[in-house]
Amino acid sequence: MHASSSEAVSPRQASLGPVYAALLVQVLINTGTYLAGKRAMEELPPVTVVLWRFLLCAFVFCLLLLFTPGPKLPPRSAWRHVLMLGLLAGPINQMLFFYGLSQSTAAHAALLYALTPLGVYLVSLARGHELPSLRATLGILTALAGVVVLLLGRGLASARGSLVGDLLILAAVSAWVVYTTEGKPFAAAHGPVRSTAWSMIAAAVLLLPVTPFALAPGRTFSASLPALGSIAYLAVLTSVVAYLIWYWALSKVPASRVAVFSNLQPATTALAAWVLLGESLHWGLALGGGLVIAGVRLTQSAPLGPVTPRALEESGGEAPVLEASLVQGASRGSGQARR
């Protein structure tokens, strides 16, 4: 793990300009995710948007698997894990996210998803994979203070609907934290492209029972072109292209450098929502957002603690690799949600 990171920044390699350019594209794609979700739900229910997104995403990943060398189906021993990841990524995370987004704002959603690295860090502490540090603790407290400011910045009375939406999004973030921590060892074993394809296809399969009630093909195909384009954006650009760019970049440079780009997302989303959706830039958003981003960066910069006996026991003697994957998952999580 460490060897690959050092190789990624070796001066003997070609310029990293294309990598950083691709990461900027990824940030812009994820910025549009929240805006596309809001636009699609102006004409369609959240469950319909989620269902079409995963059906189209699964179709694209099926085509991708056909042209990817190696096994097309997960091994029999991994099916339960794949279904669990699909449940977390699809029905749980995305239903909570889209219903929350329908009652909140795109800027709030982007900021709350910036808490994902903190959640992954806390899970790794609970499992004994890391030891607590003062820097990480200060980061967590700073980010939590930012969430409080973000939720209450406009007052409980005027933000009641937004508060409910924000709480649903926080629940979605919790599901994404579990997906990240549980999915990292699986991705390390089977590769990020194949493991992501399997989990996204599983998510679509798990959503099939609601198809007769939520697919609404007549209503969907009678929607406007911007609404249909938003669904296509969510399915192809957010769920496939942005994810592949992210992991390609991580194969070229250390996760800490990639994570810096993810911290641009809340600011770019807030600005885009202000320009395109007319969302206000109130003081609570500015102060709370600044605290959240500062807390995330402070936690991400905390040094790894020594390997504990518990970590060695749980990881079968490979705790350093598992620790590194969890920390990288924390850095990646704030830029992948989608989702």
Side-chain angles (χ1 to χ4, degrees):
M1 183 68 68
H2 295 293
S4 62
S5 295
S6 61
E7 291 174 3
V9 294
S10 171
R12 292 176 294 179
Q13 288 193 337
S15 171
L16 295 177
V19 177
Y20 295 135
L23 281 170
L24 287 175
V25 172
Q26 192 264 352
V27 168
L28 294 176
I29 290 175
N30 282 336
T31 296
T33 296
Y34 303 97
L35 308 184
K38 292 288 289 185
R39 181 61 185 86
M41 287 185 295
E42 289 180 3
E43 302 183 33
L44 297 169
V47 63
T48 300
V49 175
V50 171
L51 183 57
W52 278 104
R53 173 187 177 176
F54 275 95
L55 290 177
L56 293 174
C57 171
F59 175 75
V60 173
F61 271 118
C62 284
L63 294 178
L64 186 61
L65 283 176
L66 289 177
F67 296 97
T68 300
K72 310 305 178 187
L73 296 176
R76 188 179 299 271
S77 60
W79 279 62
R80 181 178 299 179
H81 204 166
V82 169
L83 289 174
M84 184 267 291
L85 293 175
L87 179 66
L88 287 169
I92 296 179
N93 172 262
Q94 285 302 289
M95 287 298 182
L96 289 170
F97 169 67
F98 274 92
Y99 274 102
L101 185 61
S102 68
Q103 300 183 54
S104 184
T105 67
H108 277 210
L111 285 167
L112 291 171
Y113 260 93
L115 287 171
T116 302
L118 303 180
V120 175
Y121 176 76
L122 289 175
V123 171
S124 66
L125 286 181
R127 292 184 175 182
H129 297 146
E130 297 180 32
L131 294 179
S133 71
L134 178 60
R135 185 181 301 175
T137 302
L138 289 175
I140 291 172
L141 294 177
T142 301
L144 290 179
V147 172
V148 172
V149 173
L150 179 64
L151 293 177
L152 307 180
R154 290 182 293 184
L156 283 175
S158 61
R160 184 174 302 167
S162 180
L163 177 62
V164 173
D166 288 345
L167 292 176
L168 289 174
I169 294 171
L170 277 175
V173 171
S174 300
W176 189 254
V177 166
V178 178
Y179 174 84
T180 300
T181 55
E182 293 295 329
K184 291 313 301 171
F186 189 76
H190 301 282
V193 174
R194 188 172 289 105
S195 59
T196 304
W198 288 340
S199 63
M200 293 297 112
I201 293 171
V205 171
L206 291 171
L207 287 168
L208 287 179
V210 304
T211 299
F213 313 99
L215 191 63
R219 181 177 180 181
T220 300
F221 291 119
S222 63
S224 66
L225 285 178
L228 295 176
S230 296
I231 294 176
Y233 185 105
L234 294 169
V236 179
L237 292 180
T238 300
S239 302
V240 180
V241 176
Y243 203 93
L244 294 178
I245 289 176
W246 188 259
Y247 276 97
W248 175 74
L250 286 167
S251 71
K252 302 293 184 182
V253 296
S256 59
R257 294 193 181 186
V258 178
V260 171
F261 286 83
S262 70
N263 287 330
L264 295 173
Q265 187 175 317
T268 56
T269 300
L271 291 174
W274 173 56
V275 173
L276 300 176
L277 301 181
E279 294 184 3
S280 61
L281 296 176
H282 57 85
W283 71 267
L285 178 61
L287 178 58
L291 289 172
V292 168
I293 293 173
V296 170
R297 291 303 304 143
L298 193 58
T299 301
Q300 287 177 335
S301 65
L304 284 176
V307 179
T308 63
R310 182 179 174 186
L312 279 170
E313 180 181 353
E314 291 184 358
S315 62
E318 297 182 357
V321 175
L322 183 56
E323 277 190 352
S325 68
L326 284 172
V327 174
Q328 288 194 8
S331 300
R332 300 172 194 179
S334 63
Q336 296 302 323
R338 317 15 62 312
R339 311 69 4 349

